[in-house]
Amino acid sequence: MPGGAEKQSELSEEIEAFVVRLKRGGQRPRSEETARQTLGLLRKIIARGRWGKAGELMGLIRKEGQRMTVAQPSETTVGNMVRRVLKIIREEYGRLRGRSEESDQQESLHKLLTSGGLSEDFSTPFAPLRANVIEAINELLIELEGTTENIAMQALEHIHSNEVIMTIGYSHTVEAFLKEAARKRKFQVIVAECAPFCQGHKMAIRLAEENIETTVMSDASIFAVMSRVNKFPNEEDSFHKFVSPQEALPFTEGEILTKINVHCPVFDYVPPELITLFISNIGGNAPSYIYRLMSELYHPDDHEL
Amino acid sequence: MRPREEMAARGSGKRGSGSGGARGPEPQEEPPPPLQAVLVADSFNRRFFPISKDRPRESLLIVWEKPWYFKAQALLPLANVAMIDYTLEFLTATGVEETFVFCCWKSAEIKEHLQKSKWCCHTSPNTVRFVPSDLYRSLGDVLRDVDAKSLVRSDFLLVSGDVVSNINISSALEEHRVRRKLEKNVSVMTMVFKESSPGHRARCQEDDIILAMDSATNRVLHYQKTQGLKRFPFPMNLFQSNIENVEVRHDLIDCHISICSPQVAELFTDNFDYQTRDDFVRGLLVNEEVLGNQIHMHVTTEEYGAHVCNLQMYEAVCSDIIRRWVYPLTPEINFTDDPAQSYTHSKHNIYRGRDVSLGHDSVLDENVLIGWGTIIGNNCSITNSIIGQNCKIGDRVILDGALIWNGVNVANDAEIRESLVCDEAEVKESVKLKPRCVLTSQVVVGPDITLPEGTVISLHPPDEDEDEDDEFSDDSGVNKEEIKVKLKGYNKLEVGSEGRGYLWRADNENEVDEEEQRQSLWGPHLNLGEESETDSDISLGSEQPDSRSASPQLDDIKVFQNEVLGTLQRGKEENISCDNLVLEINSLKYAYNISLKEVMQVLSKVVLEFPLQQLNGELDPQHYCVSLLPLLKSWTPLFKNYIKRASDHLDALSAIEEFFLEHDGLCTSMAKVLMAFYQLEILEEEMILNWFSRRDTSDKGRQLRRNQRLQKFIQWLEEAEEESSEGDQD
């Protein structure tokens, strides 16, 4: 089957290109974009890959997923999408084996704890599995498309009139969120510029274009206005990503560089205990409820790829 | 100003013919053809000699007694990844689709390395083609081969195999292409520089440059290595030309990345004496008016680019990689896709490979990279260091700025500071390595010994070079070495009681100062204050802007003179055109490293002496003039080519004066000769008058000037000038 071999090599070339893109990571694509690309690639692997049983498919996805995750460990989106797909395969397989969806949904805490004993071997081949999984991934893609809008739709529930909102840097989602709220309510936004990249400036300009009262300030004065701030919407793409210190201290600063170390983290880490509310596309959740969300979206066996 | 106008007209005329004569394929219009690169995986010097010499089979470099026969440093590990991988990654990331890897020394190893790497995998977007040849002796040879084989189809990148960079070349490439389109192939090369102020550790002193550029067009006007000098002469015409802003810059690092047009390869073919890129740049700038080619530059401030030419740079680049200056080429990204090179990155730039074990109370302070499978004992303190794969580090070891390659054993209580330890070397108990030591592979030192600063220890006895040169590529050499080792034994004072290795000295102790050689291995030290005053004296004395290390020997001038004479003779006999004579004299000029001023003097002298041969030494002014004048006439373009600036005129005149001083009998014909020069428009009247009225002449010179005919001639000139100036006023 020469056509098959060709397709295979084409596919591996695509995977290679994606991995390389992740590694170079120069242009910092939005996480939504990364998620869509990952899913698209995984879909291709499922459609074109050689597998007969669900177990083989999962092995394949896991193998490729691992390569992609390792390529850019700070980009958590990739790993999460791989886990979502694995979960989808499990569900579809379970459905084909006749396990009802309800029983799966009703997994209780007790069941979660004992789930180790119930592990499946995924060895029964089902012909419609491929089509079903691809269908489910397509649904997931559609869901992704609407993520930003879905989150923005909830804006009115969270932002009230005359509140002081603070945000830092630039985020597409936060921008949409605030703009949506501004259509009905009037509030004030403070943007910290987020040196040394200063994406905060871009954010402020975009918000000001929508006639939102916006103030830009330097990162150092955040503490001074913190007491006035009511809400702090922020988006975390990834963390623990250090880039070249060039932005913080230019390379031209000759002699001083031989004596000091410069670090330039791209993202700040916000410890979970400081977060009061997670807003996802399906609604706001308290941090204490996140574990449940996780178990719905990901299977515990997949946490370690 | 007559002379300038004429000069400009002449220059532009030649320029037209120069670019028209280029054989290159016309640059194709959009879409741009796939970008190609020429990677030269040889640096053609012997910088890393002792390190490479020890590991002929594994990686790099070697040089035996032929100075150009050096090594392939392309496989030196930089932060545990071979240098050439950084270069290839840079090329691939910047969009190169086809790379030609040229190498000479150790080409089989480089080939093997590349074949195992992801670059030769079919999914690689960059096709790597391997071009080994034992015949390459310099960059010039490589480029001549590129031209001969017609490997490049359009603009290409020229890099050496030791470039570490994350520069995105596309904007520079775009500028280059636009320039070539607008100005019909005048610009042949764009050099890429990185901005960095003096004193920066990544500035390599031997590569330190000072250059003058036209700030409006980024054209390079003058390019010179500083060579530790403190004063730099710049040609005056640089500032007299009609360029509005001339910038003189000393804040640039030469990344050794150049965007070249196919013409570059052709120019190397045409000028067979070009060995290095510096020759090329210098030649092009000096002959800019003649050949009509220009060089431009691109300066990057944000991105990183460096080239590893000596150990000091090696150290600096390693530490820049660890400190993430080359992002995204950081260790944890593992761009080579080698499973042995996967690292985790944690705060303070600590990178750990897989299966690394760290003993109790051992501290990794900051900027540390530890390779796969390395075991570190208890109570160690490690900072600013790079440790290779499968090393064993004992207890209570202090590593500060150590660069350790694979499979090294460091025993308890050792202390290594700012030193390099190559593959499978062993450092025994309580050994202290002071800064800038080098232990080459499989060397053993210790126990209980302190190596003073700058010690280099190698397994090769220092005096074995000569009898080994015929077998360095031969495996049997290894056995022979072992035998030798048994015969000679090691000096316990140098390497310790259980040590194995010899203190490495440069070829010949009485020729080269040992200390100096060590220095050059690490590269000159950054401390500028140390420079002696003699350096600045040299710079004062050296007139020519392109002086190489030393001014040419007198002998060279003599030989050059004979060659010029031969050339002219042949020229006369075979009726060779003046253009070709110029070309030949130019190449002789480079071959003997002769300055323009000396060329002028030699040329004048040779031409004036020419008729003497035919006259059989008979000094008859009448005959002399009769035979000289037709010669002068036919060689006029030759003189015009060299005599352009005011100083050129004076140089020529003084050479003429000198000749007539030497040949008293011919004095009377001097006026006639000058007249001929004047009438052929080689020498300006203004300049002749200027020369005549010079006060600072010797007695003899004054006597010469009293010659009646000469006085008459001068008088005639003066009158002629008055007339012409009067005419102008009318």
Side-chain angles (χ1 to χ4, degrees):
Chain A
M1 207 167 89
E6 215 168 86
K7 265 186 192 171
Q8 284 292 317
S9 77
E10 209 176 278
L11 184 64
S12 61
E13 243 167 75
E14 257 176 73
I15 297 170
E16 197 60 42
F18 181 70
V19 167
V20 167
R21 231 177 11 250
L22 279 178
K23 285 190 178 181
R24 301 229 170 97
Q27 61 276 61
R28 297 197 208 116
R30 285 171 41 207
S31 51
E32 201 183 313
E33 190 56 37
T34 317
R36 204 172 308 137
Q37 285 176 3
T38 318
L39 275 183
L41 207 54
L42 290 173
R43 189 174 55 182
K44 272 186 197 148
I45 295 172
I46 294 165
R48 298 192 201 156
R50 271 192 210 151
W51 54 276
K53 299 168 196 154
E56 286 169 21
L57 175 62
M58 285 167 71
L60 194 67
I61 298 279
R62 210 170 259 149
K63 195 181 109 221
E64 296 299 340
Q66 209 162 14
R67 268 187 65 202
M68 296 183 213
T69 338
V70 170
Q72 187 56 276
S74 67
E75 200 70 60
T76 48
T77 327
V78 180
N80 289 346
M81 283 305 125
V82 174
R83 292 184 185 100
R84 281 292 286 268
V85 169
L86 285 173
K87 168 82 172 171
I88 286 172
I89 298 169
R90 282 173 202 277
E91 277 174 6
E92 294 303 326
Y93 179 81
R95 201 172 301 151
L96 287 171
R97 283 208 64 183
R99 196 142 43 93
S100 74
E101 196 150 343
E102 285 80 59
S103 72
D104 202 42
Q105 283 286 324
Q106 280 169 1
E107 252 176 72
S108 64
L109 187 60
H110 174 71
K111 246 187 169 175
L112 273 179
L113 285 170
T114 54
S115 67
L118 298 167
S119 64
E120 302 252 14
D121 58 355
F122 297 104
S123 56
T124 326
F126 289 108
L129 183 61
R130 195 184 294 251
N132 286 0
V133 170
I134 289 174
E135 186 57 32
I137 291 179
N138 286 342
E139 275 169 27
L140 182 57
L141 273 170
I142 293 166
E143 192 187 324
L144 267 180
E145 304 251 328
T147 314
T148 312
E149 289 93 88
N150 285 338
I151 292 178
M153 295 247 279
Q154 305 164 43
L156 290 179
E157 296 168 27
H158 300 290
I159 294 182
H160 308 292
S161 288
N162 294 325
E163 275 186 332
V164 179
I165 315 286
M166 184 197 241
T167 186
I168 186 164
Y170 177 79
S171 144
H172 181 74
T173 316
V174 174
E175 183 197 332
F177 189 78
L178 292 176
K179 278 183 180 171
E180 178 68 28
R183 296 199 325 179
K184 289 258 175 69
R185 309 246 153 89
K186 206 156 170 55
F187 54 93
Q188 198 188 337
V189 180
I190 299 173
V191 184
E193 60 180 4
C194 196
F197 304 103
C198 294
Q199 309 107 320
H201 297 174
K202 181 177 162 197
M203 180 77 151
I205 290 167
R206 299 234 175 152
L207 291 179
E209 276 166 5
E210 298 287 311
N211 289 325
I212 301 172
E213 200 186 331
T214 314
T215 317
V216 183
M217 55 166 209
S218 72
D219 300 343
S221 37
I222 290 177
F223 80 97
V225 291
M226 208 56 186
S227 54
R228 293 187 52 217
V229 171
N230 304 96
K231 300 220 165 90
F232 196 119
N234 194 14
E235 187 194 16
E236 280 297 284
D237 281 337
S238 52
F239 59 90
H240 195 65
K241 186 171 180 180
F242 287 83
V243 296
S244 160
Q246 168 71 37
E247 301 278 352
L249 187 72
F251 192 72
T252 41
E253 298 291 325
E255 275 165 284
I256 194 170
L257 281 180
T258 45
K259 294 170 199 142
I260 55 166
N261 281 310
V262 192
H263 298 278
C264 185
V266 182
F267 300 103
D268 282 330
Y269 171 65
V270 182
E273 63 269 23
L274 298 183
I275 297 172
T276 44
L277 189 68
F278 287 93
I279 304 175
S280 76
N281 53 341
I282 39 178
N285 291 301
S288 56
Y289 189 69
I290 290 297
Y291 85 94
R292 182 70 209 171
L293 213 56
M294 295 268 287
S295 70
E296 244 169 57
L297 297 176
Y298 312 114
H299 193 275
D301 287 353
D302 298 333
H303 288 180
E304 284 286 324
L305 273 182
Chain B
M1 279 179 70
R2 213 145 39 107
R4 171 128 319 121
E5 273 165 26
E6 195 182 292
M7 215 169 87
R10 198 187 297 138
S12 62
K14 293 254 171 147
R15 179 169 306 165
S17 68
S19 55
R23 295 174 275 136
E26 289 305 305
Q28 287 149 31
E29 300 300 311
E30 343 79 86
L35 186 57
Q36 294 174 307
V38 169
L39 190 157
V40 184
D42 259 338
S43 67
F44 305 104
N45 67 36
R46 47 189 303 178
R47 183 68 59 188
F48 286 91
F49 179 44
I51 305 172
S52 57
K53 195 183 169 193
D54 260 3
R55 317 178 33 190
R57 334 175 94 219
E58 292 244 43
S59 8
L60 343 181
L61 12 161
I62 315 228
V63 188
W64 261 246
E65 83 275 30
K66 295 172 195 145
W68 59 81
Y69 215 67
F70 66 135
K71 56 51 173 344
Q73 69 200 55
L75 298 181
L76 279 176
L78 268 178
N80 292 354
V81 175
M83 240 185 254
I84 197 169
D85 288 331
Y86 285 93
T87 313
L88 284 168
E89 170 68 16
F90 152 69
L91 292 174
T92 312
T94 206
V96 171
E97 289 172 41
E98 187 174 20
T99 306
F100 298 98
V101 177
F102 286 86
C103 52
C104 168
W105 192 242
K106 294 281 130 198
S107 55
E109 279 154 30
I110 297 181
K111 185 171 188 182
E112 194 190 335
H113 173 85
L114 288 180
Q115 272 168 348
K116 277 192 281 180
S117 73
K118 74 164 182 176
W119 311 112
C120 286
C121 172
H122 67 281
T123 54
S124 167
N126 183 1
T127 317
V128 175
R129 297 188 200 286
F130 192 74
V131 193
S133 165
D134 291 341
L135 300 175
Y136 300 139
R137 292 288 179 273
S138 69
L139 178 72
D141 292 337
V142 169
L143 283 171
R144 280 184 273 276
D145 201 36
V146 168
D147 187 40
K149 292 181 179 158
S150 306
L151 293 177
V152 291
R153 293 183 295 274
S154 83
D155 295 342
F156 64 98
L157 282 180
L158 174 65
V159 296
S160 52
D162 50 10
V163 165
V164 176
S165 170
N166 59 1
I167 296 173
N168 189 340
I169 229 72
S170 44
S171 64
L173 187 67
E174 196 46 44
E175 285 168 22
H176 178 80
R177 283 183 175 149
V178 167
R179 258 198 301 266
R180 296 204 18 105
K181 222 157 132 189
L182 289 181
E183 286 187 72
K184 285 183 225 112
N185 301 345
V186 167
S187 171
V188 291
M189 181 157 108
T190 302
M191 300 166 84
V192 179
F193 294 99
K194 154 115 188 108
E195 209 169 76
S196 155
S197 52
H200 197 286
R201 65 160 177 251
R203 279 177 77 106
C204 167
Q205 267 222 316
E206 70 204 58
D207 236 7
D208 208 27
I209 46 160
I210 187 158
L211 56 77
M213 63 183 274
D214 175 355
S215 13
T217 60
N218 280 343
R219 202 178 114 201
V220 180
L221 303 172
H222 182 76
Y223 175 95
Q224 178 179 2
K225 296 214 169 181
T226 60
Q227 292 167 328
L229 303 183
K230 288 190 174 154
R231 286 166 202 245
F232 307 100
F234 286 90
M236 275 296 282
N237 58 350
L238 220 136
F239 304 98
Q240 287 167 339
S241 58
N242 46 6
I243 295 165
E244 235 165 69
N245 292 313
V246 176
E247 251 179 87
V248 175
R249 300 193 67 162
H250 184 48
D251 64 338
L252 300 173
I253 298 181
D254 185 352
C255 304
H256 283 242
I257 300 166
S258 343
I259 304 168
C260 301
S261 63
Q263 267 165 281
V264 171
E266 289 161 16
L267 283 166
F268 267 96
T269 310
D270 293 345
N271 298 276
F272 47 84
D273 55 321
Y274 288 171
Q275 295 301 321
T276 65
R277 202 184 61 153
D278 288 336
D279 288 345
F280 174 78
V281 172
R282 205 183 294 121
L284 226 56
L285 291 177
V286 168
N287 294 328
E288 190 175 310
E289 302 235 322
V290 185
L291 300 168
N293 293 318
Q294 298 180 346
I295 296 177
H296 287 79
M297 56 191 274
H298 173 84
V299 178
T300 175
T301 45
E302 304 256 301
E303 294 145 310
Y304 186 88
H307 111 116
V308 182
C309 53
N310 59 25
L311 271 183
Q312 179 222 332
M313 282 301 288
Y314 178 80
E315 195 189 14
V317 171
C318 279
S319 92
D320 284 341
I321 290 171
I322 292 287
R323 286 164 215 231
R324 309 182 71 78
W325 283 102
V326 205
Y327 180 87
L329 299 187
T330 49
E332 89 278 8
I333 295 291
N334 187 15
F335 60 86
T336 54
D337 280 342
D338 179 353
Q341 298 291 354
S342 69
Y343 296 93
T344 58
H345 173 218
S346 43
K347 66 179 175 181
H348 300 133
N349 293 337
I350 309 285
Y351 305 85
R352 281 197 225 196
R354 288 190 305 174
D355 303 325
V356 165
S357 102
L358 188 65
H360 286 294
D361 289 329
S362 281
V363 181
L364 304 181
D365 208 9
E366 56 181 8
N367 304 324
V368 177
L369 176 105
I370 302 175
W372 173 59
T374 287
I375 298 165
I376 295 173
N378 304 329
N379 290 311
C380 293
S381 158
I382 301 176
T383 177
N384 297 323
S385 296
I386 293 174
I387 303 173
Q389 298 168 9
N390 297 315
C391 293
K392 285 196 180 60
I393 312 282
D395 298 340
R396 300 173 296 282
V397 171
I398 298 173
L399 302 179
D400 182 1
L403 304 170
I404 295 177
W405 293 1
N406 299 340
V408 171
N409 276 334
V410 178
N412 298 346
D413 302 301
E415 187 178 326
I416 302 179
R417 294 189 190 273
E418 292 166 47
S419 291
L420 174 64
V421 182
C422 301
D423 286 350
E424 289 155 41
E426 195 173 344
V427 176
K428 299 234 175 218
E429 282 83 6
S430 308
V431 170
K432 283 189 173 57
L433 298 193
K434 297 274 174 150
R436 297 196 291 131
C437 287
V438 177
L439 301 186
T440 65
S441 54
Q442 298 173 354
V443 161
V444 182
V445 286
D448 296 309
I449 185 171
T450 300
L451 297 186
E453 198 169 320
T455 313
V456 178
I457 295 195
S458 135
L459 270 192
H460 295 248
D463 50 354
E464 86 182 45
D465 279 11
E466 264 133 69
D467 38 53
E468 204 197 8
D469 60 301
D470 52 339
E471 52 177 347
F472 53 78
S473 53
D474 193 341
D475 282 357
S476 69
V478 178
N479 296 331
K480 205 173 166 193
E481 269 164 39
E482 276 166 17
I483 295 165
K484 265 188 202 160
V485 162
K486 273 175 204 147
L487 286 176
K488 290 189 180 164
Y490 302 102
N491 186 342
K492 303 269 183 253
L493 291 175
E494 284 170 0
V495 295
S497 51
E498 292 165 40
R500 287 176 50 207
Y502 301 96
L503 202 58
W504 185 76
R505 293 179 185 89
D507 340 5
N508 218 326
E509 280 156 86
N510 25 4
E511 259 176 47
V512 188
D513 183 17
E514 191 185 314
E515 185 63 26
E516 196 178 297
Q517 195 68 20
R518 265 188 230 147
Q519 285 258 342
S520 70
L521 179 62
W522 279 96
H525 224 38
L526 262 187
N527 192 347
L528 294 169
E530 278 177 15
E531 259 163 51
S532 63
E533 283 179 14
T534 46
D535 283 348
S536 43
D537 288 348
I538 292 169
S539 73
L540 259 179
S542 70
E543 289 269 70
Q544 2 140 231
D546 54 348
S547 75
R548 290 190 195 185
S549 47
S551 61
Q553 300 291 306
L554 266 180
D555 292 354
D556 277 354
I557 296 184
K558 198 86 202 153
V559 180
F560 176 69
Q561 187 176 333
N562 288 338
E563 296 270 3
V564 170
L565 183 65
T567 306
L568 291 183
Q569 262 168 350
R570 249 184 315 117
K572 187 162 173 274
E573 283 158 20
E574 296 166 27
N575 223 351
I576 299 172
S577 81
C578 280
D579 275 351
N580 287 343
L581 289 178
V582 169
L583 209 63
E584 210 158 313
I585 292 176
N586 272 344
S587 48
L588 287 172
K589 168 176 177 304
Y590 292 120
Y592 295 103
N593 193 14
I594 304 288
S595 75
L596 217 53
K597 186 179 167 179
E598 284 157 341
V599 172
M600 197 96 59
Q601 288 169 338
V602 168
L603 185 66
S604 310
K605 204 172 160 199
V606 168
V607 171
L608 291 175
E609 277 173 1
F610 207 85
L612 294 184
Q613 295 172 312
Q614 293 162 340
L615 298 175
N616 297 327
E618 196 185 322
L619 296 181
D620 176 10
Q622 206 69 37
H623 282 116
Y624 177 75
C625 286
V626 170
S627 46
L628 178 68
L629 294 184
L631 290 176
L632 278 183
K633 198 162 182 177
S634 57
W635 288 331
T636 305
L638 205 59
F639 281 100
K640 282 192 176 174
N641 181 62
Y642 291 106
I643 302 181
K644 285 178 181 168
R645 294 168 299 173
S647 61
D648 302 341
H649 287 260
L650 291 177
D651 287 341
L653 279 164
S654 55
I656 296 171
E657 177 182 341
E658 207 173 295
F659 169 80
F660 284 105
L661 285 177
E662 275 172 35
H663 302 89
D664 280 342
L666 295 173
C667 263
T668 43
S669 54
M670 183 169 182
K672 263 198 174 154
V673 172
L674 284 180
M675 184 73 177
F677 272 107
Y678 171 68
Q679 280 173 340
L680 292 168
E681 289 182 5
I682 299 171
L683 295 174
E684 301 288 332
E685 58 184 44
E686 205 183 318
M687 290 303 158
I688 299 178
L689 293 175
N690 195 344
W691 161 78
F692 187 76
S693 55
R694 265 216 292 210
R695 298 264 157 247
D696 55 338
T697 44
S698 63
D699 287 351
K700 270 187 147 184
R702 247 172 267 148
Q703 209 174 344
L704 187 79
R705 281 175 173 71
R706 266 184 237 124
N707 179 312
Q708 265 204 344
R709 285 170 192 242
L710 190 58
Q711 295 227 344
K712 248 189 189 164
F713 170 65
I714 297 295
Q715 209 179 342
W716 178 81
L717 271 183
E718 275 166 351
E719 280 165 16
E721 194 188 31
E722 273 163 31
E723 265 170 39
S724 74
S725 60
E726 275 166 23
D728 284 353
Q729 278 161 7
D730 294 344

